[in-house]
Amino acid sequence: MTAAIDTTHYRADAPPKLACRGVWKLFGAGADRLKPGADGFDPDSLAASGAVIAVRDASFEIGEGEIFVIMGLSGSGKSTLVRCLSRLIEPSRGEVLLDGRNLLAASEREMIEIRRHKMGMVFQHFALLPHLTVLGNVAFPLAIQGVPREKREARAREVIELVGLKGREHHYPRELSGGQQQRVGIARSLAVEPEIWFLDEPFSALDPLIRREMQDEFLRLQRLLHKTIAFITHDFDEAIRLADRIAIMKDGAIVQIGTPEEVVTRPATPYVAEFTREVPRAKVLSVGAVMGPIDGATDFAGELPVKAKIAEVAPAVLARRGPFLVVTEEGERVGTLTAERVIAVLAGTGGA
């Protein structure tokens, strides 16, 4: 018996698909006059210029097939950063590497082609074209590429079915609910079969119940497609549910990068500690972080994936007597989980 699905999307040793190296973004009248040195911008020159620092020396890598969540409060710089990654906003300094190629060295024409063929983008506001049907909206990026009508509509129908909207191809946006409209936006971004997928607060305008459903849908799609994803949110519950790793931003700077478990249990700064203080540990602690040794036990109530979260498996563990066997993706037996250990986590007295 498996009590929960292991939703890990990538391997930690996967090669980086996208790398961000020392990226800065300055706004304001004096920003263009500032010249960076080898280590960035001189603090005194920055202060004298009056420039606003939106992104400050951001560096990270996103692995092939990883969901990398960038989060922070309003004004932290997260949306500016994701737009720098696609060069919708021009960085003031740094490098953005896609498969090792520096996108900041690409011409505008080259960037247009890269966005059209290699990048998918979904934003908080659905930005659907009201005069086009669902089919027309989803096929629109392919029409821009010059794909023949029959071929682009066939591809559009594929992704419409993939996101659960089969049968609504000829509806207009005004005839759809908010969740359905967002599904159209997701389908449109997937129509070009992007290598990297940027999502900026895609579910924040939705009601809580629909938002949860869209998160489920997002995870289902990722299990099928294994996209490399940069996902922006200000909601920590959403981040820990979706992320392979999280980058937390404050005042334009990334202050910590880690798995949800690492960020909650080992905060790097007082800001991160305060940011994560109210997060229930059962939502972030994995079975592997809480399990005990096998110690020769042979009678088990069932099996649990080592990477599953305690909150996911708690109902099954608490409902049955006896320890559960903990196994890896490869089926290796690595430990046991008992009701006592689960209760300790739920009570706030156990775990890392």
Side-chain angles (χ1 to χ4, degrees), residues 11-91:
R11 298 183 63 87
D13 58 356
K17 181 70 175 179
L18 187 76
C20 180
R21 311 268 195 233
V23 167
W24 292 70
K25 180 57 186 176
L26 310 181
F27 291 105
D32 293 340
R33 296 193 298 270
L34 287 170
K35 301 299 181 185
D39 298 320
F41 292 92
D42 175 65
D44 293 335
S45 298
L46 276 173
S49 72
V52 175
I53 305 172
V55 177
R56 183 191 300 267
D57 199 20
S59 295
F60 56 86
E61 294 181 347
I62 305 178
E64 184 92 37
E66 178 179 12
I67 299 179
F68 188 82
V69 172
I70 303 170
M71 68 172 305
L73 300 178
S74 179
S76 61
K78 56 189 185 296
S79 291
T80 301
L81 176 57
V82 80
R83 283 164 172 76
C84 286
L85 298 181
S86 58
R87 276 188 63 190
L88 290 175
I89 292 177
E90 201 70 30

Side-chain angles (χ1 to χ4, degrees), residues 78-269:
K78 56 189 185 296
S79 291
T80 301
L81 176 57
V82 80
R83 283 164 172 76
C84 286
L85 298 181
S86 58
R87 276 188 63 190
L88 290 175
I89 292 177
E90 201 70 30
S92 302
R93 183 185 188 274
E95 293 182 330
V96 178
L97 306 174
L98 178 61
D99 291 325
R101 178 186 180 184
N102 185 10
L103 297 183
L104 273 62
S107 68
E108 184 55 38
R109 181 181 292 274
E110 289 172 325
M111 277 308 305
I112 289 172
E113 291 304 304
I114 289 170
R115 293 190 199 104
R116 284 179 177 174
H117 295 277
K118 295 189 175 185
M119 296 178 176
M121 303 181 192
V122 182
F123 299 103
Q124 176 179 350
H125 303 291
F126 313 139
L128 302 182
L129 300 171
H131 62 289
L132 295 182
T133 62
V134 169
L135 185 65
N137 268 282
V138 175
F140 184 74
L142 298 173
I144 294 297
Q145 289 183 8
V147 176
R149 179 171 181 172
E150 183 177 348
K151 185 176 180 180
R152 71 178 182 252
E153 289 193 352
R155 172 60 183 165
R157 290 180 190 277
E158 288 179 11
V159 290
I160 288 169
E161 182 173 0
L162 184 67
V163 302
L165 288 178
K166 185 177 181 180
R168 292 183 170 84
E169 291 87 347
H170 301 295
H171 287 58
Y172 287 89
R174 64 180 178 275
E175 299 172 318
L176 304 176
S177 68
Q180 290 170 336
Q181 289 182 38
Q182 191 60 295
R183 286 172 190 256
V184 176
I186 288 172
R188 181 178 59 189
S189 72
L190 291 174
V192 299
E193 301 182 80
E195 296 180 16
I196 188 161
W197 205 12
F198 298 113
L199 298 100
D200 189 358
E201 305 255 20
F203 310 141
S204 62
L206 303 175
D207 293 334
L209 181 59
I210 298 174
R211 183 171 186 160
R212 179 81 178 188
E213 291 174 353
M214 289 304 301
Q215 291 169 1
D216 290 339
E217 179 70 8
F218 174 77
L219 289 172
R220 181 186 71 83
L221 290 171
Q222 178 63 351
R223 285 193 290 271
L224 291 172
L225 302 174
H226 307 290
K227 296 296 181 184
T228 302
I229 296 169
F231 190 107
I232 307 300
T233 185
H234 65 271
D235 185 328
F236 204 86
D237 281 342
E238 183 167 76
I240 61 176
R241 185 158 191 250
L242 302 182
D244 291 310
R245 288 186 301 149
I246 297 172
I248 296 181
M249 295 189 71
K250 180 179 185 291
D251 298 332
I254 295 175
V255 294
Q256 185 169 359
I257 298 174
T259 66
E261 193 170 274
E262 290 167 345
V263 169
V264 172
T265 61
R266 297 189 292 278
T269 68

